Amino acid sequence: MTAKVFDLAVVGSGVVGLAHAYMAARTGKRVAVIERDIRPNGASIRNFGFITVTGQERGEIWRLARRTRDVWAEVAPNAGIGIEQNGLYLIARSDEAIAVLEAFLGTEMGDGCRLLEPDAFRKLANGLGGPDLKGVLFSPHELRVESRTAISGLASWLRDRLGVSFFPETVALDASPPRLRTSRGTIEAGAVIICPGDDFTTLYPERIAPYRLKRCRLSMLKLADPGYRIPGTLMSDLSLTRYRGYSALPEARALEEKLRRALPSAFAHGVHLIAAQGADGGLIVGDSHHYDALPPPFAPAEAERDILDEYARATGRVGPEVVERWTGVYAVADDRSYLVDAPEPNVRIVIVTSGTGASTGFGIGEKVIGELLGEKVKP
Ligand SMILES: Cc1cc2nc3c(=O)[nH]c(=O)nc-3n(C[C@H](O)[C@H](O)[C@H](O)COP(=O)(O)OP(=O)(O)OC[C@H]3O[C@@H](n4cnc5c(N)ncnc54)[C@H](O)[C@@H]3O)c2cc1C
């Protein structure tokens, strides 16, 4: 590799790395992105592409998610990325779940959201909803992109329209600005941002270790086109016990106790429901959560059954045939939703530790770039 000179080198071309590259490139900085693989193959292409605002942790994370959603809405059409769905419908099947939703709507996080009566939901959702449907939270804020194509689309657009240079199949080995040593030679860059996903050991392992990060493995399914459209991305009662914007509300305790008793296997596998529909009609449905320092690759079939059972309970329909299965892994911390560490004055490590990188990445990137490069990044 011949010596290249950049203002910023970003390590990692997952959604978090690309978000930082975008925020720097839009201010005219010369940006390089270094990626170990021939193309990103990690969490960022395995997720639902669900840009979630409603349900995100109250306070900073919720605000970062709103900002990130706005940036996706602006970037996606420019980059040729389709918005496959708008809005969230959270299907509630118990009085306890309705109590959580009513409490949620009473907070600032309920802005723009409303509770739909069962019949109103059935009417707009082709009759979906089981016999025990009590109500549905509608949130207009969410967007959904097809991550398996959106991430490469975003990268191509950054390269072609904003002049970002990409270095695939290149491992970043040592970051000491103005030099970044890689497996293919040295890149000169005034600053380096490391967005390594769940690689905690290649760069600055001694800085990452004190955060005591673990990994979470998720099971995901693609189901065949069911022959009906779902009106937006679906979630269910179980989601109210996992997403901190709801689960931190006092009303969520009674719901969780009830669901733990009724669905022990779902809790053992950390299962809740997200069901999103793509342009081809197929449904991306998940997910389970297994936590470990290094989760084994052996995903239990029971978790898959629990996901499909929750789909059937929430929609009142048996899910169609499974056409794809995969797992994905992301970084987690017990005590924070993301971390920004500064091992050197011109180096930052950025890791989203809550499984929300597609929903918070642009907001975090804007903040980190503003602080590191002294740029006021204007929308
Ligand atoms: C199944 C699943 C579903 C999810 N659903 C959602 C969702 O719907 N909405 C949402 O907001 N979030 C979701 N998430 C979480 C979200 O996908 C992650 O938070 C996000 O993708 C993390 O992005 P990242 O760029 O940090 O990591 P990654 O996507 O893992 O990318 C990191 C990249 O860095 C590269 N890399 C690491 N070290 C080096 C090095 N030294 N040199 C060169 N390259 C390096 C890796 O090869 C990799 O490509 C989900 C995650 C999973 C697994």
Side-chain angles (χ1 to χ4, degrees):
M1 187 190 287
T2 51
K4 309 262 183 187
V5 183
F6 297 95
D7 299 309
L8 174 71
V10 176
V11 177
S13 68
V15 71
V16 177
L18 295 181
H20 284 77
Y22 170 62
M23 288 299 169
R26 73 188 292 188
T27 69
K29 300 291 182 195
R30 296 163 300 170
V31 180
V33 176
I34 292 87
E35 168 57 51
R36 164 187 286 127
D37 287 320
I38 193 162
R39 57 178 171 270
N41 200 38
S44 299
I45 64 138
R46 298 175 189 223
N47 63 30
F48 295 92
F50 186 34
I51 317 305
T52 323
V53 173
T54 294
Q56 296 290 4
E57 186 178 6
R58 198 170 193 168
E60 188 198 9
I61 299 300
W62 182 73
R63 287 192 297 276
L64 287 170
R66 283 175 76 104
R67 176 68 186 135
T68 298
R69 185 274 323 274
D70 289 348
V71 177
W72 272 109
E74 166 194 313
V75 162
N78 293 333
I81 297 169
I83 301 293
E84 308 245 333
Q85 281 186 308
N86 287 283
L88 156 70
Y89 293 83
L90 193 149
I91 297 170
R93 297 174 14 253
S94 66
D95 292 337
E96 289 83 352
I98 294 291
V100 177
L101 295 179
E102 283 173 346
F104 177 82
L105 287 169
T107 71
E108 74 287 359
M109 298 181 289
D111 174 39
C113 302
R114 63 181 196 275
L115 200 52
L116 303 176
E117 293 293 329
D119 283 348
F121 174 69
R122 286 200 172 94
K123 210 165 166 184
L124 62 87
N126 297 301
L128 288 186
D132 53 358
L133 178 63
K134 295 271 182 189
V136 175
L137 176 74
F138 168 65
S139 162
H141 304 304
E142 283 62 32
L143 302 177
R144 198 216 150 222
V145 297
E146 186 61 77
S147 291
R148 60 181 86 184
T149 51
I151 296 301
S152 56
L154 182 57
S156 301
W157 179 69
L158 290 174
R159 185 192 58 220
D160 299 341
R161 294 299 170 89
L162 294 182
V164 173
S165 298
F166 281 82
F167 297 88
E169 294 187 275
T170 304
V171 186
L173 299 169
D174 181 54
S176 315
R179 268 170 296 285
L180 175 71
R181 192 166 63 81
T182 81
S183 55
R184 290 181 182 242
T186 299
I187 291 173
E188 285 189 39
V192 177
I193 298 182
I194 301 162
C195 306
D198 71 319
D199 179 337
F200 310 146
T201 49
T202 305
L203 288 167
Y204 295 106
E206 75 291 352
R207 295 291 303 199
I208 295 176
Y211 291 99
R212 298 185 307 280
L213 302 185
K214 287 189 192 155
R215 295 177 175 87
C216 178
R217 185 195 67 222
L218 298 85
S219 289
M220 301 282 286
L221 303 167
K222 181 167 180 180
L223 310 186
D225 182 351
Y228 50 81
R229 295 297 301 176
I230 58 175
T233 302
L234 305 181
M235 298 175 92
S236 73
D237 292 28
L238 282 170
S239 310
L240 297 174
T241 68
R242 292 204 63 88
Y243 273 60
R244 290 177 194 164
Y246 315 114
S247 67
L249 297 169
E251 290 76 5
R253 277 188 223 121
L255 174 66
E256 181 167 343
E257 271 170 35
K258 178 175 177 151
L259 289 173
R260 273 186 187 279
R261 276 198 305 274
L263 304 170
S265 174
F267 276 86
H269 295 296
V271 165
H272 79 130
L273 179 72
I274 298 179
Q277 194 162 35
D280 65 357
L283 299 170
I284 308 291
V285 178
D287 52 15
S288 59
H289 297 79
H290 293 95
Y291 300 90
D292 205 337
L294 183 65
F298 314 110
E302 204 174 70
E304 181 178 317
R305 277 197 298 275
D306 289 336
I307 294 166
L308 291 171
D309 286 350
E310 184 65 5
Y311 180 86
R313 280 190 292 267
T315 61
R317 310 269 176 95
V318 174
E321 179 198 358
V322 176
V323 293
E324 285 178 349
R325 302 181 159 81
W326 66 98
T327 59
V329 170
Y330 59 68
V332 280
D334 288 337
D335 60 348
R336 67 195 67 226
S337 296
Y338 72 103
L339 69 89
V340 179
D341 191 85
E344 296 181 41
N346 286 341
V347 180
R348 296 291 179 274
I349 304 166
V350 183
I351 304 178
V352 174
T353 54
S354 51
T356 60
S359 307
T360 56
F362 283 120
I364 294 171
E366 185 167 51
K367 191 172 148 178
V368 171
I369 292 294
E371 179 265 327
L372 180 64
L373 301 183
E375 293 292 338
K376 279 257 175 294
V377 187
K378 293 253 166 54

